[in-house]
Amino acid sequence: MEVFLGIDIGSLSCDGVLIDSHGKILAATVVPTGARNLEAIERVRREILQTAGLSEAAVQATVSTGYGRDRVENRLAAVTEITCHARGIQALYPDTDILVDIGGQDSKAIRLDRQGGVQDFAMNDKCAAGTGRFLEAMARALQVDITELGGLDRGARDNLTLSSMCTVFAESEVVSLIASGTETREIVAGLNRAIASRTASLVKRVGGDVNALNVAMSGGVARNGGVVRAITAVLGRPLAVPDNPDTVGAFGAALIARQRFKGTAGHQT
Amino acid sequence: MMKSYFDDLVSGIEARLAEDPENRSPRKVYALEVARLGQRLYGETESVAWCGVTAPFDLLAAMGVTSCFVEFVGAMLAATGMEGAFLEEAEHAGYGGDTCGYHRAVLGAARKDLMPVPDFLIATSSPCTGGLAVMENLARHFEKDLFVLNVPQEASDAGVRYLADQIRDMAAFVADHTGQRLDPARLRQAIDNTNRARTLLEEAYQLAQHVPSPVTGRMMGNFGVVMALLLGTEAAVTVARTYRDAFARRVEKGEGGLARENLRLLWIQNRIQFKNPLIEMLEKDFGAVVVADELNAITWEAIDPDDPYEGLARRAISIPFNGQGRRRVDHLQKMAASFKVNGAINPCNWGCRQGTGARGLIGEGLKAVGVPVLNLEVDCIDSRNFAEGQLRTRLEAFAEMIAGRPSPWH
Ligand SMILES: Nc1ncnc2c1ncn2[C@@H]1O[C@H](COP(=O)(O)OP(=O)(O)O)[C@@H](O)[C@H]1O
Ligand code: SF4
């Protein structure tokens, strides 16, 4: 059996997706990147082959992506997460026009053509405001688990605006809001709206008038239902969110591995 | 310290050039003349003027004045990896960290006595008023006289006369300070050198447009703006001729600067001045070459040696950075077409209104002719703010993106 591996080494998680020669997902895995990304990469390789019941020899080609993409050994190519997320989402939702990807330390909006290619993209500025790490810091300040944060905005009256998106200032603002008795749901809804408004400006930079466009979302933050709801509200468009939004990049990398492998094999014959 | 730095630099480059006198690298010939300028600035033997970017350097050369725009100091400090201490000095003195790094570095350098004390200063209101404020500041710091050239935004007859009159007044101001009258024969010679260099530069830029281009990404960085400092001298002619000849040889042989040129890029405004791997990364990983820089262009006509003032005024007014943003857009659209570029990179230099303020207009304008633009948002001087990984990802993604589509010029 011929299989292709995509590995996405993000700032927080290291994801792997294994596909067969038809592009069907055979196995996927997510492990924390941790301080030593080489170990995380090895763990992903090991676990994913175990799950699929295959040996290393079955892997025809590996493409790596994510900020640690250059650290992956035995790769056919390293491709940026922008190109990989675009390819991955196009395979899942072929009519996607714009992809919002919010991961651990950056957020981006990507304009796609219908072939899974990138037409344009915009990324957040240097700081991590409005990214996954920002949300983690806020969850800490609120003393809730990050996985719970996504449901805590329900029932909010949406009357709170945060004055700063700097992680440090926002964290102390959240602490003082808690101290002054502000309800958690208002704080969480305020945070979500702030992220949504930054995201919307990235989307508008690449998409202009988004009214007629299909928008999807990937990256770990797409697991946060509150953020997804807030972005939906600001854009006035429904967001297509895959079941495993954090492995879209690795899936795209696997698809590129398959395509490029076939391309080179084709040239050789 | 700086004097010996430039002395070493000059002798080092001279030795390298002497190794293969038949095949002198144009970049080295250029670097040699820039180093010699540094030597003169710090040599304490000649009259020195600190200037704004659009000052008439050839006229100043004809009057025996070694002159340089102050932003040069910022670029030099960054290139040698020394900028940090000077930026901090300026910040400690109260200058905001979100102003242009060239200017912060210069203010820090003046405060730390790294800049030669000038005999006088000549400011220009173009390309940026921040630069003008820095010149006022430096004049106070050095306790020297400042002459301001107010560059009008349009090349109307009245505008040209207005600036030409100011340049005449400037010549009188310089003569008062140096004690030397302007010698008409020297002026004519200087203007003649300027015109000869101008023709050669125009030819070199034309040759650079060839597919594949004879340039590599490093060859032309900062070139146009720094060449202005050499105008009026024989050195400008030598440098321009070396480039022209080197390009002509390559074009004749059908050779590109890069063995395999896949993508052609246009760099907007100025380069990132500190050492960084981005240009090499683009070339090595993607065969993507910066074949054109916004500032490497001749936007002015030859100057009349018998009555140079109006010509000098027209030249200062002609730079695309002067006047409405639309002028930059027009200029960039033309460059994109003549160099057949696949994409453009705008560093959007931190704190620069030309850089960040015009980015939307420029992005739209180039997109309209089919050329996508990548905005980097980088401080071109301050390496302390350099997020290499992030910039790499943006550049790589951009290269991946344009590699996947046909050139807009096919
Ligand atoms: N179950 C979850 N619920 C809510 N948010 C989540 C969940 N899982 C991950 N996240 C968010 O996703 C972020 C990590 O995104 P990810 O795409 O994995 O980042 P990276 O690619 O940089 O490693 C975390 O910081 C967190 O905010
Ligand atoms: S980068 Fe901008 S602000 Fe700085 S000197 Fe140049 S034009 Fe002026």
Side-chain angles (χ1 to χ4, degrees), chain B residues 284-298:
Chain B
K284 192 170 135 287
D285 295 352
F286 297 94
V289 198
V290 175
V291 293
D293 284 71
E294 178 178 11
L295 301 173
N296 292 352
I298 300 290

Side-chain angles (χ1 to χ4, degrees), chain B residues 313-329:
Chain B
R314 280 186 197 281
R315 181 178 68 195
I317 296 172
S318 78
I319 69 156
F321 276 84
N322 186 36
Q324 292 185 0
R326 181 71 235 168
R327 275 175 65 173
R328 282 185 71 194
V329 176

Side-chain angles (χ1 to χ4, degrees), chain A residues 199-214:
Chain A
T199 307
S201 67
L202 288 180
V203 167
K204 287 187 180 139
R205 258 201 254 165
V206 298
D209 179 13
V210 292
N211 274 330
L213 301 180
N214 299 318

Side-chain angles (χ1 to χ4, degrees), chain B residues 121-378:
Chain B
L121 301 94
I122 294 176
T124 55
S125 63
S126 160
C128 64
T129 47
L132 189 53
V134 167
M135 295 298 287
E136 286 169 351
N137 220 305
L138 290 175
R140 267 200 304 279
H141 173 85
F142 290 119
E143 299 180 345
K144 297 290 177 185
D145 291 338
L146 170 71
F147 189 94
V148 179
L149 286 169
N150 281 300
V151 183
Q153 301 210 334
E154 296 294 334
S156 63
D157 288 349
V160 171
R161 269 200 310 277
Y162 173 65
L163 183 56
D165 285 344
Q166 291 179 63
I167 298 174
R168 278 190 196 89
D169 291 347
M170 185 202 90
F173 166 91
V174 173
D176 281 350
H177 285 78
T178 58
Q180 280 182 44
R181 296 282 114 204
L182 173 59
D183 171 358
R186 267 186 89 179
L187 178 60
R188 183 170 297 110
Q189 180 62 52
I191 297 302
D192 184 51
N193 287 340
T194 293
N195 287 337
R196 284 195 298 148
R198 181 190 167 283
T199 307
L200 290 163
L201 287 172
E202 216 167 32
E203 288 171 17
Y205 292 146
Q206 286 241 320
L207 287 162
Q209 294 170 9
H210 257 260
V211 183
S213 175
V215 313
T216 54
R218 286 251 169 254
M219 246 176 139
M220 302 297 277
N222 293 333
F223 182 72
V225 65
V226 173
M227 274 305 281
L229 294 174
L230 304 180
L231 287 181
T233 68
E234 196 55 47
V237 182
T238 306
V239 173
R241 181 176 298 119
T242 319
Y243 269 94
R244 199 266 323 255
D245 292 350
F247 288 174
R249 275 196 301 275
R250 278 192 183 162
V251 167
E252 201 177 325
K253 286 193 248 163
E255 269 176 21
L258 216 61
R260 259 187 46 209
E261 174 189 287
N262 293 332
L263 299 170
R264 298 161 67 88
L265 300 172
L266 165 63
W267 192 278
I268 294 171
Q269 206 173 351
N270 18 32
R271 298 282 186 98
I272 300 173
Q273 303 294 342
F274 48 85
K275 284 205 173 58
N276 70 83
L278 300 179
I279 297 282
E280 273 83 13
M281 183 274 283
L282 284 169
E283 293 187 346
K284 192 170 135 287
D285 295 352
F286 297 94
V289 198
V290 175
V291 293
D293 284 71
E294 178 178 11
L295 301 173
N296 292 352
I298 300 290
T299 53
W300 40 283
E301 297 298 318
I303 294 166
D304 179 358
D306 293 318
D307 179 20
Y309 292 97
E310 295 215 341
L312 293 173
R314 280 186 197 281
R315 181 178 68 195
I317 296 172
S318 78
I319 69 156
F321 276 84
N322 186 36
Q324 292 185 0
R326 181 71 235 168
R327 275 175 65 173
R328 282 185 71 194
V329 176
D330 289 344
H331 171 68
L332 287 166
Q333 283 177 334
K334 273 195 214 115
M335 277 196 108
S338 51
F339 281 85
K340 299 193 171 58
V341 300
N342 303 82
I345 298 171
N346 190 352
C348 306
N349 184 35
W350 177 260
C352 169
R353 281 171 244 176
Q354 293 274 11
T356 51
R359 61 185 251 180
L361 277 179
I362 289 172
E364 303 246 302
L366 284 175
K367 203 171 167 184
V369 295
V371 175
V373 181
L374 175 71
N375 292 321
L376 285 183
E377 292 146 355
V378 61

Side-chain angles (χ1 to χ4, degrees), chain B residues 86-146:
Chain B
F86 299 94
L87 293 167
E88 268 171 32
E89 173 71 21
E91 284 153 23
H92 292 169
Y95 295 102
D98 48 8
T99 53
C100 164
Y102 290 90
H103 293 146
R104 261 181 297 143
V106 171
L107 291 167
R111 294 174 60 87
K112 283 174 97 83
D113 295 328
L114 193 87
M115 284 170 79
V117 177
D119 295 279
F120 52 88
L121 301 94
I122 294 176
T124 55
S125 63
S126 160
C128 64
T129 47
L132 189 53
V134 167
M135 295 298 287
E136 286 169 351
N137 220 305
L138 290 175
R140 267 200 304 279
H141 173 85
F142 290 119
E143 299 180 345
K144 297 290 177 185
D145 291 338
L146 170 71

Side-chain angles (χ1 to χ4, degrees), chain A residues 69 79-80 82-83 118-119 121 123-126 205, chain B residues 359 374 377 385 390 393-394 396-398 400-401 405:
Chain A
R69 59 190 174 278
V79 178
T80 63
I82 291 147
T83 302
V118 176
Q119 266 182 5
F121 64 93
M123 276 172 90
N124 64 312
D125 301 336
K126 286 198 184 86
R205 258 201 254 165
Chain B
R359 61 185 251 180
L374 175 71
E377 292 146 355
N385 276 336
Q390 276 190 350
T393 295
R394 286 177 201 212
E396 285 183 22
F398 186 69
E400 287 165 2
M401 178 180 100
R405 53 171 88 167

